[in-house]
Amino acid sequence: MSDYQEYLPIAAEATRRAADAMRRQSPGVLTAKGDRDLVSELDYAIERDLRTFLSAETPDIGFLGEEEGPSGSSSRRWVLDPIDGTSNYVRGLPLCAVSLALVDGNEAVAGVIQLPFLSATYTAASGGGAHVNGRPITVSSTTCMSQALVAIGDYAVGPGAAARNRLRFALTSQLAAEVQRIRMTGSAALDLAWLAEGRLDAALTLSNHPWDMAAGVIIAREAGAAVIDGNGARHDMTSTMTLAVTPELMSPILAAYEKTLAVTPDAR
């Protein structure tokens, strides 16, 4: 077991603070970040609180937050999405998360995902396995596409959305003909946590940022998932696409993805 395990209690306390704020406070003022994209006042408040808390607890580790960017210059940094699924959160939908990872270089090495309204805390560190509420978890043993439950990330908004969504529509159509059901929860962190727990069999996100994926990637990997980017390489913090799948289904999921690329070559 790696020394990254020692950071999990700190990360768990940080995400607990954030989850408490989500349960007890209102979203506050909403601000447009772009076309059909918004940020709440509470997103900023949580990020600032955790930046301060983590700086005090781990002064030698840098920080990257979704809303206010990086601080510190260490090769190790905390990567935070203060509220993953803000649109769900502000409408009272419980499918939202706090996602915090420790990243070393370009690899997520420890992570905690809190689901504040679903009473679940997912944790993992390199070599230590994945857990929910302290209980070990593993990915599903599904081997057949017709039995697979697959989550797809949100459709694109903003500049170039129409072109980028051609790939999403094509993949949705391809998978709809092969898998049992498709789900779109609106939270990449939740998708990866549920993949790790075996509730989902694949979590496919066709555009992402490090804060969206970092904690979920290490949790899913430690639970046994295969996680790659769109060109088949091992997923890391430079990846802009995430294909996370229970191992027995990676080959047919990748085949379905490659079929969509053949008919939408310029859509990525």
Side-chain angles (χ1 to χ4, degrees):
M1 189 177 298
S2 71
D3 65 345
Y4 299 122
Q5 195 83 21
E6 69 185 76
Y7 292 102
L8 284 181
I10 297 171
E13 174 59 18
T15 58
R16 183 198 64 76
R17 294 165 68 104
D20 284 349
M22 290 174 67
R23 286 190 290 260
R24 295 175 181 175
Q25 300 180 37
S26 70
V29 176
L30 304 180
T31 305
K33 293 171 67 174
D35 175 35
R36 290 167 288 164
D37 192 12
L38 57 84
V39 60
S40 74
E41 191 175 4
L42 190 58
D43 281 274
Y44 286 110
I46 289 172
E47 184 167 312
R48 289 166 185 165
D49 177 59
L50 268 58
R51 189 188 297 263
T52 299
F53 172 79
L54 292 167
S55 178
E57 294 289 324
T58 56
D60 296 329
I61 296 178
F63 184 91
L64 172 64
E66 177 181 7
E67 309 307 342
E68 295 187 326
S71 58
S73 56
S74 171
S75 62
R76 290 187 179 184
R77 62 198 184 280
W78 294 106
V79 178
L80 173 71
D81 191 336
I83 303 177
D84 184 52
T86 298
S87 293
N88 286 350
Y89 172 64
V90 301
R91 299 296 291 269
L93 298 177
L95 304 183
C96 50
V98 183
S99 176
L100 178 66
L102 178 64
V103 172
D104 195 343
N106 282 325
E107 287 283 331
V109 294
V112 176
I113 292 172
Q114 289 259 9
L115 307 183
F117 305 104
L118 299 176
S119 301
T121 302
Y122 297 81
T123 61
S126 293
H131 300 77
V132 59
N133 296 341
R135 173 178 59 84
I137 53 175
T138 61
V139 295
S140 76
S141 57
T142 303
T143 60
C144 179
M145 286 284 274
S146 65
Q147 297 174 354
L149 202 60
V150 176
I152 295 180
D154 283 343
Y155 293 127
V157 296
R164 288 183 289 140
N165 278 332
R166 285 199 293 272
L167 177 59
R168 290 156 174 78
F169 296 149
L171 181 59
T172 301
S173 178
Q174 182 66 44
L175 290 173
E178 299 184 46
V179 305
Q180 186 179 90
R181 292 291 187 274
I182 295 171
R183 296 290 181 257
M184 184 178 286
T185 70
S187 168
L190 182 145
D191 289 348
L192 288 166
W194 280 358
L195 169 67
E197 196 177 1
R199 295 180 179 221
L200 297 170
D201 302 302
L204 313 179
T205 306
L206 301 190
S207 62
N208 56 245
H209 301 284
W211 48 81
D212 297 318
M213 316 309 297
V217 165
I218 182 63
I219 292 168
R221 276 200 177 124
E222 286 295 315
V227 190
I228 62 174
D229 65 21
N231 61 12
R234 176 181 171 86
H235 185 283
D236 64 22
M237 293 303 102
T238 67
S239 299
T240 58
M241 189 177 295
T242 308
L243 307 179
V245 188
T246 192
E248 293 295 325
L249 291 180
M250 177 54 83
S251 180
I253 289 287
L254 194 55
Y257 171 70
E258 289 172 347
K259 285 179 184 177
T260 68
L261 288 182
V263 297
T264 58
D266 300 319
R268 279 196 283 185

